[in-house]
Amino acid sequence: MATYYFERDTGTLNAGRVREIIVQAGKDTGSPSDYNPENYSYSEESSKKVTAKGPETMKVNKLEKAATELGFKTTSVTVVEGLDADRHPLAASAEALAATDYGVQITMDQATVTALASGNYSLYGFKAVQTTVGGGMPLVWFKSTSYGLTTDVNWQIQFEAYTSQSQIIPGGQITGLNSYPATLGQQLVVDSPQGTGTIQQGTPGNIAVMNQTSNPFTCGISEVVNGTAEPLCAFPLYGNGLDAMVPIEKVMLTFATKQVNTGTVIERAYSQSILVDLTSATQRAVSFDINKGWSWGGYGWGQAIPANQNVVPILIEDGASYRSGARTLLG
């Protein structure tokens, strides 16, 4: 069983309109029986929010598209599987980590694709984490020039914990990784001057790096994107210190002419970017225009990031704010 949260930023919403949205979404799929409004019970939480409880057979992106088609614009949909409504949305962001495959589909017109290619633009991706550790910086997670009218960015919930002797300098690159496959609840225990170690049991809910030497290192998390594990953040790891991090499903995408490699430390957005929140859905769809920038239907899961904005607090979230409520993310 799942709970779907239908919310509007502007305008009103009621159970009747939600039923219409479900029916409309079923018309755009080969399995309309999966979108039967009779399979759900409804609760009008407010004039802008309605919950529907029932089987988790409906896709969030199809429901949001159907709402737009019916004129119920700025309607966002969140689905939480097996969780009570009073735990939303805090629990949703943590439980979403149990999913295995995520993706963002980018659509562009021919003029935009031609302009990007002729202008030597690359598509850059960045991933967010939560932590209480200070001094951390986001890294270029992936870089690609393989884009077209429809471009799919896909990643899997496969993590690694790493150490490096590179310095965390804006514009610098983190190289020479000692990287080990790790899952939530595990920690990399460093026991050599080179930064190597072993994966051991840690604290549930996070990935940690414990330094049992007196040597300082840089450490962080890598995640598989398009088939390759790439580092997405970097933190100072002091002698005999412990850094704990929680990867979250928020990605920032940007097209830019700046030529840097994966693992490069970023402090400010290279160009206008979009932050996409996938903590409540495994797939999102956005579009990009070379002149108009990013668009996503105005839903609450998207956020425009201006060029040159400081992205450190956006991609390195303060985990202390998540210590209350349904779940303690950091030990």
Side-chain angles (χ1 to χ4, degrees), residues 63-76:
L63 292 169
E64 291 179 335
K65 178 182 177 183
T68 299
E69 292 172 344
L70 291 172
F72 308 141
K73 297 181 178 180
T74 68
T75 299
S76 63

Side-chain angles (χ1 to χ4, degrees), residues 80-102:
V80 183
E81 182 181 6
L83 298 175
D84 296 329
D86 60 1
R87 294 180 61 191
H88 167 74
L90 179 64
S93 62
E95 292 297 329
L97 293 173
T100 56
D101 297 294
Y102 288 82

Side-chain angles (χ1 to χ4, degrees), residues 17 21 29 55 78 93 127 131 155 159 182 207 219 231 252 275 298 306 331:
R17 287 182 169 178
I21 292 171
T29 177
T78 301
S93 62
K127 191 85 186 299
T131 185
W155 64 95
F159 303 114
I207 295 175
C219 74
M252 189 180 80
L275 182 70

Side-chain angles (χ1 to χ4, degrees), residues 249-267:
E249 298 313 316
K250 293 182 180 181
V251 296
M252 189 180 80
L253 303 173
T254 186
F255 284 100
T257 56
K258 192 176 185 67
Q259 296 302 309
V260 296
N261 296 316
T262 56
T264 297
V265 178
I266 177 178
E267 185 175 27

Side-chain angles (χ1 to χ4, degrees), residues 162-284:
Y162 79 85
T163 66
S164 169
Q165 298 190 43
S166 299
Q167 298 296 308
I168 305 175
I169 303 171
Q173 187 178 10
I174 305 300
T175 60
L177 273 58
N178 301 304
S179 198
Y180 301 83
T183 61
L184 291 174
Q186 292 185 326
Q187 63 182 358
L188 169 59
V189 178
V190 181
D191 56 11
S192 78
Q194 293 74 37
T196 58
T198 58
I199 294 295
Q200 300 181 16
Q201 192 65 32
T203 302
N206 65 55
I207 295 175
V209 183
M210 177 183 289
N211 190 359
Q212 292 187 334
T213 79
S214 59
N215 297 336
F217 299 102
T218 290
C219 74
I221 296 175
S222 299
E223 186 171 1
V224 174
V225 57
N226 295 329
T228 304
E230 298 287 357
L232 56 90
C233 60
F235 293 90
L237 178 66
Y238 299 106
N240 299 294
L242 172 69
D243 288 359
M245 299 148 282
V246 178
I248 55 176
E249 298 313 316
K250 293 182 180 181
V251 296
M252 189 180 80
L253 303 173
T254 186
F255 284 100
T257 56
K258 192 176 185 67
Q259 296 302 309
V260 296
N261 296 316
T262 56
T264 297
V265 178
I266 177 178
E267 185 175 27
R268 297 186 176 275
Y270 296 150
S271 64
Q272 189 206 54
S273 309
I274 182 173
L275 182 70
V276 182
D277 188 339
L278 292 99
T279 55
S280 60
T282 58
Q283 302 291 321
R284 295 294 192 193

Side-chain angles (χ1 to χ4, degrees), residues 6 14 35 37 39 64 111 118 122 142 151 162 175 226 230 270:
F6 293 77
N14 55 42
Y35 295 81
N39 293 337
E64 291 179 335
S118 62
S122 296
F142 72 83
T151 304
Y162 79 85
T175 60
N226 295 329
E230 298 287 357
Y270 296 150

